[in-house]
Amino acid sequence: MLKELRPAIVVLLGLTVITGVIYPLGMTAVSGVIFPKQAEGSLIERDGRVVGSTLIGQEFTTDEYFHGRPSATTGPDPKDATKTAPQPYNAINSMGSNLGPTSQALNDRIKEDVAKLKAENPAMPVPIDLVTTSGSGLDPDISPEGALFQVPRVARARKLPEDRVRQLVTENTQRRFIGLLGEPRVNVLALNLALDAAAAK
């Protein structure tokens, strides 16, 4: 019986070492050489300090900054550890809201968000990505329409010409990959950093 089991055990151990140790370490080493920035988390630095990642959104709430998509991520409630509380863009707990189209809570939240955004810019229709969460709750990008919708508020708060702020949106819009894949998008953190730089001039 041991004679029959021995090849199976050897194959199991061999494949475990190959696929569980050698392959992951090899891919990590190769990616670190070929794609060093991506392998380290696509971090964004400013003045020698890490301020975020191009892959994970951040919450911006003041009028001076562009806002990202709503985030449904949660974390432990600081007042009661047995409960959870909203913690936007909590990378430890990536998730969507799991609320469906028949959810009253979801519909109420979206109506409230749409009303708030319409009051902010009544001249344009509200882009869908500004009122809906992503599946991960961590989406760092918004659509160009979502960014352009916010231009009047940001320009007013920054005391900058709308054309200058609109130009920053255009400069920070990433096009489709090879002109075919994905959708045009704007990384909110990169846009806000460019906005800070423009305002400092």
Side-chain angles (χ1 to χ4, degrees):
M1 183 171 169
L2 187 59
K3 188 177 178 183
E4 287 83 17
L5 283 176
R6 188 168 178 254
I9 293 169
V10 169
V11 168
L12 174 65
L13 293 174
L15 288 175
T16 300
V17 170
I18 291 168
T19 60
V21 178
I22 296 171
Y23 179 77
L25 290 176
M27 288 297 101
T28 302
V30 169
S31 65
V33 171
I34 299 175
F35 307 108
K37 188 174 182 211
Q38 292 86 340
E40 292 180 5
S42 299
L43 301 177
I44 296 176
E45 290 187 13
R46 185 175 183 189
D47 301 325
R49 189 173 62 92
V50 174
V51 294
S53 167
T54 60
L55 303 175
I56 297 176
Q58 292 185 28
E59 184 177 32
F60 292 95
T61 56
T62 62
D63 287 347
E64 291 84 6
Y65 288 104
F66 286 89
H67 302 166
R69 296 181 70 171
S71 173
T73 59
T74 61
D77 188 334
K79 296 175 185 171
D80 184 352
T82 64
K83 297 180 180 175
T84 60
Q87 289 183 2
Y89 300 103
N90 179 3
I92 294 173
N93 196 18
S94 172
M95 60 183 265
S97 68
N98 292 330
L99 299 176
T102 59
S103 166
Q104 191 61 47
L106 176 64
N107 287 321
D108 289 346
R109 193 216 22 102
I110 288 177
K111 284 178 187 172
E112 184 181 314
D113 288 354
V114 167
K116 182 181 170 188
L117 289 166
K118 277 187 177 176
E120 177 186 304
N121 185 355
M124 289 178 68
V126 176
I128 191 73
D129 58 318
L130 294 184
V131 295
T132 56
T133 62
S134 67
S136 69
L138 305 175
D139 196 345
D141 303 322
I142 55 175
S143 66
E145 296 78 18
L148 291 170
F149 180 89
Q150 300 178 66
V151 164
R153 169 182 51 80
V154 173
R156 209 168 33 248
R158 293 274 184 157
K159 296 180 175 52
L160 288 170
E162 283 191 23
D163 287 344
R164 177 65 186 117
V165 178
R166 203 171 284 110
Q167 181 186 359
L168 287 172
V169 171
T170 303
E171 289 170 0
N172 284 276
T173 298
Q174 299 172 1
R175 305 291 172 209
R176 289 182 170 95
F177 181 65
I178 63 170
L180 299 170
L181 304 175
E183 291 296 322
R185 63 202 179 280
V186 179
N187 185 281
V188 178
L189 177 58
L191 177 58
N192 284 333
L193 290 174
L195 184 62
D196 281 345
K201 289 180 182 176

